[in-house]
Amino acid sequence: MLTIPLLVGFYYVVPVDAVDAFAVPRIIGTVLVVVVLGRTILSELRNRDSDISSLVILFLAVVIVGSLLFFTLQTHRPQEFVGLETRTDALYFTLTAMTTVGFGDIHAQGQVARAVVSVLLVFDVVFIAALLSRMSDRLLRPLNDLATIDNDASAEPSTRAESVSREGEENT
C-alpha cells in the first residue's frame, strides 16, 4: 500500500516546466511510460488470477500519468484548458473526466486537449469494464466452487447406489 502515496508524491515533484530543449526527451519518456503501462495493464487483464489491488494501482498510475500529461499540456499550451492552473487542478480534472462526472469548471478547450481527454475516456471505459469483470469473477468464484462441491457430493450417493446395484446383479 506504500505504492499509492509514492505515486502521488511522484506526481507533485516531477518537473514539467523545463526548458524546451528537454521537450523531445520528455515526450519520448511519456510515450514509453504509456506503452509500458498499457502492456502491463493488458498483461494484468489477461491474467485471471492476478490480484485486484494490482489493477487498482495500475489505474492510479494511469490517473497520475494523465494528470501529468494535462498539467504539462496546460503549462506549454495554456489555451488548451479553461480553469486548469495547478497540479491539483489537473488531478481533479483527470478524476472527474475518468469518472465521467465532468462538473464543467475545468474543461478542454483546444483540439489537442480534447483528443487526449477522448483517449483517456475510452481507456477508462475499457479498463473499468475489465476491472468490474475481474471483481465479479473473484466474488463469484467461491460460489462456483461451493456449487461444484455440492454437485459432487450429491452425485456420490447415486454413484454408490449404482455400484451396489451392479454388484448385486453380478452376484445373482
Side-chain angles (χ1 to χ4, degrees):
M1 277 316 201
L2 184 61
T3 308
I4 294 172
L6 286 175
L7 281 171
V8 174
F10 167 79
Y11 169 68
Y12 278 100
V13 298
V14 170
V16 295
D17 53 355
V19 181
D20 283 338
F22 296 107
V24 172
R26 196 172 43 241
I27 290 169
I28 292 171
T30 302
V31 168
L32 287 175
V33 166
V34 169
V35 167
V36 168
L37 270 176
R39 292 178 64 98
T40 305
I41 289 167
L42 286 175
S43 171
E44 287 293 321
L45 292 175
R46 287 185 187 126
N47 181 3
R48 298 306 259 172
D49 294 326
S50 69
D51 191 14
I52 292 174
S53 65
S54 64
L55 290 174
V56 171
I57 290 171
L58 284 172
F59 181 77
L60 179 62
V62 170
V63 168
I64 298 298
V65 169
S67 299
L68 275 172
L69 184 60
F70 293 142
F71 186 69
T72 303
L73 186 60
Q74 177 61 20
T75 301
H76 295 282
R77 296 179 58 132
Q79 72 280 8
E80 292 293 329
F81 289 97
V82 173
L84 197 152
E85 296 175 12
T86 66
R87 288 178 189 254
T88 303
D89 289 342
L91 183 61
Y92 165 79
F93 174 73
T94 302
L95 290 171
T96 57
M98 290 183 80
T99 57
T100 66
V101 174
F103 295 116
D105 51 344
I106 301 173
H107 61 275
Q109 179 174 308
Q111 296 303 302
V112 174
R114 288 178 179 175
V116 173
V117 170
S118 296
V119 169
L120 186 68
L121 289 174
V122 169
F123 164 81
D124 184 48
V125 169
V126 171
F127 186 81
I128 293 298
L131 182 62
L132 290 174
S133 170
R134 179 67 52 82
M135 289 172 69
S136 69
D137 286 350
R138 299 283 272 197
L139 291 172
L140 293 176
R141 187 177 299 161
L143 294 175
N144 290 336
D145 291 345
L146 284 175
T148 303
I149 291 169
D150 287 345
N151 287 341
D152 290 346
S154 65
E156 267 185 45
S158 64
T159 306
R160 286 187 198 148
E162 288 173 7
S163 64
V164 169
S165 170
R166 283 189 208 130
E167 287 176 12
E169 290 172 5
E170 291 174 1
N171 291 339
T172 54

